[in-house]
Amino acid sequence: MVARAGAGAGPAVVFLHGGGPGASGWSNWRLALEALGDRYDCIAPDYVGYGESTHPEPPPTDMRVWTRMRLDQVIGMLDALEIERAHLVGNSLGGALTLHLLMEAPERFERAVLMGTAGGPSSDRPSQELIRMVTFYSDPSPEALGRLYSWFVHDPDDFDGDLDQIAQDRFAMTMRDDVRRSYVAQFSGPSQLTLPDSALRRIQHPILLVHGRDDMINPVSDSYHFLKVLPNAQLYVFGRCGHWTQLEYPQRFNHLVDEFLRGAL
């Protein structure tokens, strides 16, 4: 499944979604696709193991295997769409995949935005909120999904949306047998998302790091680390913002992405 807006409108931008239960290309990036589809060819796939994409049976239990399948999936998608080069925008798990893509196929990509990206130093000491996310299926319910989503934002009372309704809308997808099987399998073994600093220092692409100051899933300190080691990176921190920058501050986020991809930042 690939959500797409603005085919042929401008440079291609691949949006890579996060790794929470119920995540998909459309659910993570709907507002960005709607805002940027008049200027860019916006493409947001569901990863292998998420949403309407392929669900291997039996599923691998090593994140390295899932990562390899997803990297091949993105490159294969670009080949199928006859897109030679694209920008990347990655959220959380999608940020980690973005870094892997920049390292493995640098010639296929131009600029990259990493939002609340995973794979930083905190991977060795995950937050309780992140642990609850990856073990969601130990006790799944719409209420538990709503509580989890409340940790993705700075202040649920200030969030311009209904987190309980979002949880209700996504819960049926999370409880599909294939979706549940893939999710449990990918987080049952080694994570192995982190790239060594020696690899990060070789990535020459212009990179915009975007992070919520109050992110409880992947702390903002991870982006400060990436800022130190990525040669051509800059960082923008949103105050009073959690893990869902693209949903908490959609207008500002989409404007920032547009400015950066145009080379105005």
Side-chain angles (χ1 to χ4, degrees):
M1 173 67 180
V2 176
R4 193 174 186 183
V13 185
V14 178
F15 291 82
L16 299 177
H17 65 74
S24 67
W26 179 247
S27 69
N28 266 203
W29 296 116
R30 174 181 61 84
L31 297 180
L33 267 60
E34 291 174 353
L36 299 172
D38 62 338
R39 282 152 285 169
Y40 301 95
D41 185 354
C42 301
I43 305 162
D46 293 358
Y47 306 144
V48 174
Y50 279 89
E52 300 296 343
S53 190
T54 302
H55 293 269
E57 176 57 34
T61 56
D62 190 327
M63 183 61 85
R64 290 171 296 187
V65 179
W66 286 105
T67 299
R68 170 47 52 202
M69 289 191 294
R70 290 162 181 168
L71 300 180
D72 292 344
Q73 175 191 9
V74 172
I75 297 298
M77 178 189 70
L78 292 177
D79 289 343
L81 295 174
E82 299 182 341
I83 296 172
E84 185 174 345
R85 289 174 66 85
H87 300 301
L88 290 167
V89 180
N91 164 219
S92 196
L93 173 61
L97 292 176
T98 293
L99 289 170
H100 281 267
L101 285 164
L102 295 178
M103 181 186 71
E104 294 205 9
E107 74 284 357
R108 300 301 299 270
F109 304 104
E110 298 185 16
R111 290 173 168 255
V113 179
L114 305 178
M115 193 197 82
T117 191
S122 72
S123 299
D124 295 332
R125 49 185 190 285
S127 67
Q128 288 300 309
E129 290 82 3
L130 180 58
I131 292 171
R132 289 293 186 94
M133 187 193 86
V134 301
T135 60
F136 168 77
Y137 285 101
S138 298
D139 186 20
S141 68
E143 293 75 21
L145 192 59
R147 285 193 296 273
L148 175 62
Y149 289 161
S150 75
W151 300 331
F152 280 33
V153 301
H154 169 257
D155 185 345
D157 292 332
D158 286 342
F159 178 64
D160 187 18
D162 188 333
L163 292 171
D164 290 335
Q165 187 60 54
I166 293 173
Q168 291 287 344
D169 292 344
R170 297 188 187 182
F171 187 68
M173 172 68 76
T174 68
M175 296 309 294
R176 267 178 31 187
D177 288 344
D178 55 351
V179 172
R180 179 173 185 160
R181 182 180 67 239
S182 294
Y183 192 92
V184 171
Q186 72 174 319
F187 290 117
S188 63
S191 64
Q192 295 298 324
L193 283 171
T194 304
L195 286 171
D197 287 355
S198 57
L200 296 174
R201 291 191 178 99
R202 295 174 185 164
I203 295 174
Q204 298 298 317
H205 303 71
I207 291 176
L208 175 65
L209 300 158
V210 179
H211 219 117
R213 182 195 62 197
D214 310 297
D215 191 336
M216 293 186 284
I217 305 300
N218 297 320
V220 69
S221 58
D222 282 358
S223 277
Y224 281 105
H225 175 77
F226 289 130
L227 181 65
K228 291 179 183 177
V229 296
L230 291 165
N232 296 303
Q234 55 185 306
L235 172 62
Y236 191 101
V237 177
F238 281 77
R240 296 183 58 81
C241 182
H243 191 58
W244 270 354
T245 309
Q246 85 279 27
L247 299 180
E248 291 183 80
Y249 296 97
Q251 292 183 334
R252 287 171 56 193
F253 175 78
N254 294 327
H255 177 73
L256 192 63
V257 169
D258 181 37
E259 291 281 292
F260 176 71
L261 295 184
R262 290 193 294 106
L265 288 179

